[in-house]
């Protein structure tokens, strides 16, 4: 059983849990759609997804901190399947014959036509990064006895985003981009996303404190099964 420092979790899913889940999933899907555009930020070239993808990590931190790892695990898999549905729908739209008067097929394929390698890299990096982030945060919460929230939100993000960036960039571009450039892109993405989380720490504090009070729960994963594939707590 998971130890709760406040109250008992309600049966089913509260409106607040659903809202955070919706924010998590929406951020993930939007990030994957706009990632195709490369932008220049202070001279550094990064995918446009950097403006919203870190929000999924913030929402993931909130889910783990308030509701526990097992609930966060459900949302991570939900996000994975929702993203898979989105990709499948976009691919079907690309394959279907265009209307004779519509001349946007080339643009559609250029913007939304994910290559299999990029798609696989994105999905693998997402799963490994999100589960790493959630697991590190849950274990740090136990180690710190619930104190110093900032250490686990930032610490888990440094590890999770590091794994995500390393896996995605390596799987997507290894062999097509010089190693020096590859390393630069990985470090730039990692630091950019981690800085995002650091700047958002006051917001994370506010949301976590509100939800713990509104829900009357504060889950500690003392005896949780951390296997990402587990269907039990």
């Amino acid at each position: 059983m998971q130890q709760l420092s406040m109250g008992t979790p309600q049966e089913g899913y509260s409106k607040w849990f659903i809202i955070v889940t919706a924010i998590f999933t929406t951020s993930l899907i939007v990030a994957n759609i706009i990632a195709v555009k490369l932008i220049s930020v202070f001279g550094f070239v990064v995918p446009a997804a950097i403006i919203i993808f870190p929000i999924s990590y913030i929402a993931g931190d909130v889910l783990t901190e308030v509701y526990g790892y097992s609930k966060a695990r459900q949302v991570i898999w939900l996000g994975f399947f929702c993203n898979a549905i989105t990709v499948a729908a976009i691919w079907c739209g690309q394959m279907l014959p265009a209307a004779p008067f519509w001349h946007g097929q080339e643009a559609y394929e250029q913007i939304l036509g994910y290559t299999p390698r990029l798609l696989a890299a994105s999905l693998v990096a997402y799963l490994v990064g999100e589960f790493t982030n959630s697991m590190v945060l849950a274990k740090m919460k136990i180690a710190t006895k619930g104190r110093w929230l900032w250490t686990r939100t930032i610490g888990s993000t440094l590890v999770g985003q590091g794994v995500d960036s390393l896996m995605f960039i390596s799987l997507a571009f290894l062999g097509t981009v010089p190693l020096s450039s590859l390393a630069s892109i990985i470090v730039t993405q990692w630091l950019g996303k981690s800085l995002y989380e650091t700047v958002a720490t006051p917001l994370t504090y506010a949301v976590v404190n509100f939800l713990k009070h509104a829900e009357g729960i504060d889950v500690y994963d003392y005896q949780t099964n951390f296997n990402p594939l587990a269907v039990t707590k």
Side-chain angles (χ1 to χ4, degrees):
M1 294 294 292
Q2 295 170 312
Q3 178 176 324
L4 308 176
S5 62
M6 295 172 53
T8 303
Q10 300 176 346
E11 293 296 328
Y13 302 97
S14 71
K15 65 178 181 180
W16 299 115
F17 179 83
I18 293 173
I19 289 172
V20 177
T21 299
I23 292 173
F24 175 92
T25 306
T26 301
S27 300
L28 171 66
I29 292 174
V30 172
N32 284 337
I33 292 174
I34 67 175
V36 66
K37 179 176 181 179
L38 297 178
I39 61 176
S40 178
V41 180
F42 302 114
F44 296 101
V45 177
V46 293
I50 199 171
I51 66 177
I52 192 170
F53 182 71
I55 294 177
S56 68
Y57 267 75
I58 295 172
D61 286 349
V62 170
L63 287 166
T64 304
E65 174 67 25
V66 178
Y67 301 98
Y69 176 85
S70 63
K71 282 288 193 294
R73 175 171 52 205
Q74 295 176 11
V75 177
I76 291 171
W77 280 113
L78 175 65
F80 175 83
F81 289 119
C82 286
N83 187 50
I85 291 172
T86 301
V87 171
I90 290 173
W91 180 82
C92 287
Q94 178 179 326
M95 293 298 102
L96 291 172
F101 56 83
W102 191 72
H103 305 291
Q105 182 67 22
E106 184 177 345
Y108 184 101
E109 293 179 1
Q110 182 178 4
I111 300 300
L112 299 176
Y114 308 103
T115 65
R117 182 175 178 178
L118 288 176
L119 175 58
S122 175
L123 293 178
V124 171
Y126 159 74
L127 285 178
V128 177
E130 288 288 353
F131 276 118
T132 299
N133 179 76
S134 185
M135 187 181 304
V136 169
L137 189 145
K139 290 182 177 293
M140 286 186 67
K141 183 175 183 179
I142 295 173
T144 60
K145 296 181 171 60
R147 298 170 294 176
W148 312 313
L149 174 60
W150 64 272
T151 62
R152 51 188 179 274
T153 58
I154 296 175
S156 63
T157 297
L158 284 171
V159 178
Q161 293 281 18
V163 172
D164 182 283
S165 298
L166 176 63
M167 294 202 67
F168 174 71
I169 299 301
S170 298
L171 292 174
F173 302 110
L174 185 64
T176 62
V177 175
L179 290 179
S180 59
S181 299
L182 205 66
S184 176
I185 296 173
I186 291 172
V187 172
T188 299
Q189 280 210 93
W190 174 53
L191 292 179
K193 293 175 182 177
S194 299
L195 178 61
Y196 197 125
E197 172 73 51
T198 302
V199 172
T201 295
L203 175 61
T204 304
Y205 261 83
V207 173
V208 165
N209 289 334
F210 170 80
L211 288 176
K212 286 181 179 180
H213 176 75
E215 301 281 39
I217 61 174
D218 187 8
V219 178
Y220 285 74
D221 292 286
Y222 284 113
Q223 297 182 27
T224 296
N225 183 351
F226 285 97
N227 182 351
L229 299 177
V231 294
T232 62
K233 294 182 179 182

